[in-house]
Amino acid sequence: MKYTFDYLVYIGRFQPFHLAHLQTVKIALEQSQNVILALGSAQNERNIKNPFSAQEREQMILSNFSESDQKRIIFVHVVDVYNDVKWVKLVKSLVASVVKPEDKVGLIGHFKDDSSYYLQLFPEWQMVELDSLKDSISATPMREAYYRGEIQEQYFPQGTIEFLQHFQNTEIFKKLQDKYQKQDKSNLNESNSKLE
């Protein structure tokens, strides 16, 4: 099979991984030999905006793909850097640690709203711009429903649904749910929030 790219980079937080994310990765796998998922907000703190660790998100995402596709998905962990220049440099260095200089690298994404401006910060990577996917679903209302005890299954692939069901039974989920009810956006105390 002849691919257009050696690597397509897809940047996201995937908190959690929903059907529009799945559709994007599938399109990327059709066009590229490999897909690099740059997991944003990959620092260790958990909060109601970022409930899942980078490792948990890797597990959640891979559970939705066949074994052969899993081998073509590579993860890099991008911690939050509140400076575009430093952040771009970080993403590029993480990608450079995976690819060879001669590889053809592209960026895949969708200009959803003002928060998608970062897609323009990598002019050297050819852009694969997607039209609105799955009615532009946003993970924010899904997380809110999740904290209210509801998994909106119509928005998630099966692997994510199973991950979310399992995670609901953890102590961490109960603590996050408590923070959500108080609208407390601070981080969970990591010392007592390892997955039980």
Side-chain angles (χ1 to χ4, degrees):
M1 172 137 185
K2 187 80 185 87
Y3 295 106
T4 310
F5 298 92
D6 296 304
Y7 292 90
L8 266 176
V9 179
Y10 180 24
I11 300 169
R13 289 192 7 260
F14 312 111
Q15 292 271 19
F17 186 77
H18 56 57
L19 287 172
H21 296 143
L22 178 74
Q23 200 177 351
T24 303
V25 176
K26 285 187 167 172
I27 292 166
L29 287 167
E30 284 165 15
Q31 297 191 24
S32 181
Q33 177 67 52
N34 299 288
V35 177
I36 297 174
L37 292 186
L39 297 180
S41 300
Q43 58 279 6
N44 285 327
E45 301 95 6
R46 295 177 197 265
N47 50 47
I48 57 176
K49 187 180 176 189
N50 293 303
F52 311 113
S53 71
Q55 286 75 16
E56 286 161 358
R57 284 177 279 161
E58 286 190 15
Q59 178 195 333
M60 182 195 319
I61 292 166
L62 290 175
S63 70
N64 293 294
F65 293 93
S66 68
E67 213 171 303
S68 59
D69 282 346
Q70 287 179 12
K71 291 184 172 77
R72 297 168 54 207
I73 297 172
I74 297 145
F75 294 96
V76 295
H77 295 180
V78 186
V79 295
D80 287 336
V81 178
Y82 299 98
N83 170 311
D84 285 348
V85 175
K86 287 181 179 165
W87 180 80
V88 167
K89 210 171 156 180
L90 174 62
V91 172
K92 285 182 185 170
S93 73
L94 289 166
V95 169
S97 71
V98 173
V99 305
K100 295 193 277 304
E102 65 274 17
D103 285 332
K104 182 166 185 197
V105 179
L107 182 66
I108 190 166
H110 158 56
F111 288 95
K112 185 171 68 172
D113 53 33
D114 293 345
S115 71
S116 309
Y117 75 94
Y118 66 85
L119 292 170
Q120 296 162 318
L121 302 178
F122 302 92
E124 67 281 17
W125 293 342
Q126 187 183 325
M127 181 72 201
V128 177
E129 190 179 338
L130 301 175
D131 293 331
S132 180
L133 295 170
K134 294 278 180 198
D135 312 319
S136 273
I137 55 181
S138 161
T140 306
M142 296 174 205
R143 278 194 307 274
E144 290 172 353
Y146 186 51
Y147 294 134
R148 292 193 302 269
E150 181 193 344
I151 296 173
Q152 297 179 323
E153 296 193 5
Q154 69 272 31
Y155 297 125
F156 299 121
Q158 190 56 39
T160 298
I161 292 169
E162 288 166 13
F163 174 90
L164 293 174
Q165 288 168 338
H166 172 75
F167 192 83
Q168 257 180 335
N169 299 318
T170 64
E171 277 308 307
I172 296 172
F173 176 76
K174 293 179 184 69
K175 289 175 183 158
L176 287 164
Q177 202 173 27
D178 186 52
K179 279 195 178 282
Y180 171 74
Q181 283 156 356
K182 295 174 182 158
Q183 282 303 293
D184 175 354
K185 294 182 170 65
S186 68
N187 293 330
L188 275 191
N189 179 353
E190 266 305 298
S191 62
N192 59 15
S193 68
K194 296 280 176 262
L195 259 186
E196 340 266 88

